[in-house]
Structures are given as C-alpha cells and as structure tokens.
Amino acid sequence: MDALLSRLDSIVLNPELAPLLSLLKGIRNGVVYGSKVRFPHALVMIFLFRSGTFREKAKLVLSATRQHARNLATFALIYKSSMIVLRNVNPAGVGKEGRYDSFFAGLLGGYAVFGRHFNGVSQQIVIYIFARVMLALAKIAVAPNTHPLSSLITPEARTKLYDNAWPAFASLSWALVMYIFRWYPETLASSLRSSMVYIYADSDHWDSFRNLLIHNK
C-alpha cells in the first residue's frame, strides 16, 4: 500500500501533468462546494416552504444539490480548460496568461453552463455572483489608481463615498424589494417571495392565540 501511495504521489507531483490534474481537482472542488452550499439551503427552503410528501421534498433537495454541484463542476472544467488553451496560443509567449484570458474563459463557461439553460438553480447562482460583481465594481470605481478617472476623486470625496455608499445601497435595496413585493410579487424569485409572504403577509392573519404566536397557520 505504501508503495502504491508513493507511486501515486510521484504521478500527481509531475509538473507535466499539472494542467490536466488541475482540471480534475477543479471538477472535484466544484462538486464538493456546490453540494455543501446547495444541500442545506435547499433542505431548509423546500421543507419549510414547499408542500408535498417527505419523499417528494427529499427528491427536490437532492435534485437541486446535484444540479448545483454539476453546474459548478462543469464551469470549472470549461473555464480551466479555456485558460490552458489561451495560455498556449498567446502571441506574446506560450505559457503566458493574457490580461483578459479570464474574462473570455468566464464568458465561454458562463454561456455554456448557465446561459443556455434557464432554471431556478442556475438563476440563483448567476444572481448571487451578479450582486457580488456589482459590489466589487462599486469598490473599484472609487479605489485609487484603478481607472483613468481615479485621480479626479479626492481623498475627502473617497472617504465620504465609503462612509455613505453602503447605507444608501442597503436602504434603496430594501425600499425596492418591499415595493416590488407589495405590487408585483410574481416577479420575485419564488424562494424570496415565499419567505416574504411568511414574514410580512401571513403575519396579518390569525384567528386564535395558537396561530398568532405558536403556529403560523
């Protein structure tokens, strides 16, 4: 057994195999991370807010977990494969990463995995990263030396932007979601809509002490 493990270690540490092995580990980590993230979320949301038998709910949880894991694993494979190809066709030198290689590799992976198939799990993943991207771009927009207009933002103005951006963003986000929930609830994601109905709509109705504080309905 020790000899086998030693042989496997020598194989996985071979630098010539590193690009291919990085694909394998990317797939592995995509599956593991996707499962860890989706399973508890789906378990809570489906068992709390979906109707159906225990068996039906369990199937939905496993289906959502499998899809999330598959999406992340497939994206990792396409992205890392594209990065390897782009490095090896770089006119500036084989093996060198170009400034926008990650952008184009992400573009290809995003289209192949998330863009061609619209479903609840893919939508949630894309919306999650979109929100993080917007926050990151907002930070980049006011950070020093990140774009040609950075020099126009004085240190005093930058401090005020940092101090007030989050309160304004948080307040406006909640103002908009409550307005949409009040007048256009069908446009919200089903999981968000269900949780908001539970907190803000169901709390307007009761006919006894029991379903006032002990049970929702």
Side-chain angles (χ1 to χ4, degrees):
M1 181 60 70
D2 290 341
L4 176 61
L5 291 177
S6 178
R7 176 59 179 166
L8 290 175
D9 285 342
S10 65
I11 292 175
V12 300
L13 293 177
N14 185 342
E16 294 182 358
L17 297 177
L20 293 178
L21 293 176
S22 75
L23 299 181
L24 179 62
K25 186 162 186 179
I27 295 171
R28 179 264 180 197
N29 286 2
V31 170
V32 171
Y33 187 83
S35 300
K36 285 183 176 180
V37 169
R38 176 57 55 174
F39 181 78
H41 176 270
L43 186 68
V44 171
M45 297 304 296
I46 289 174
F47 274 86
L48 281 181
F49 299 112
R50 289 286 187 92
S51 59
T53 66
F54 179 88
R55 185 182 182 86
E56 291 170 339
K57 291 180 179 181
K59 284 185 177 180
L60 289 174
V61 171
L62 294 177
S63 176
T65 301
R66 183 172 59 251
Q67 186 171 5
H68 197 136
R70 183 174 62 245
N71 283 353
L72 293 187
T74 306
F75 180 87
L77 174 62
I78 295 173
Y79 173 79
K80 294 177 73 66
S81 298
S82 300
M83 290 293 289
I84 292 173
V85 171
L86 290 171
R87 281 199 301 268
N88 283 278
V89 298
N90 189 349
V94 174
K96 293 184 178 180
E97 180 181 337
R99 174 71 176 178
Y100 300 104
D101 285 2
S102 58
F103 177 86
F104 291 111
L107 187 68
L108 177 61
Y111 173 74
V113 179
F114 301 101
R116 295 189 302 136
H117 308 289
F118 182 83
N119 54 66
V121 172
S122 293
Q123 184 183 37
Q124 289 173 6
I125 295 173
V126 172
I127 290 173
Y128 173 86
I129 66 167
F130 175 79
R132 298 306 188 270
V133 166
M134 291 298 101
L135 287 174
L137 289 177
K139 293 177 182 179
I140 292 172
V142 297
N145 305 317
T146 55
H147 55 83
L149 300 180
S150 293
S151 59
L152 300 179
I153 305 175
T154 65
E156 294 78 11
R158 185 171 288 112
T159 299
K160 289 183 178 180
L161 287 170
Y162 283 143
D163 291 342
N164 295 291
W166 178 254
F169 174 72
S171 303
L172 184 60
S173 296
W174 276 100
L176 289 171
V177 76
M178 297 313 297
Y179 178 84
I180 293 171
F181 173 66
R182 177 66 182 86
W183 299 108
Y184 309 100
E186 70 281 357
T187 64
L188 295 173
S190 60
S191 58
L192 174 60
R193 184 172 64 250
S194 296
S195 63
M196 296 186 77
V197 166
Y198 185 83
I199 297 172
Y200 307 112
D202 288 354
S203 57
D204 288 336
H205 306 283
W206 65 90
D207 56 19
S208 68
F209 176 78
R210 184 178 181 82
N211 60 25
L212 173 64
L213 295 179
I214 300 176
H215 292 288
N216 180 47
K217 292 182 179 180

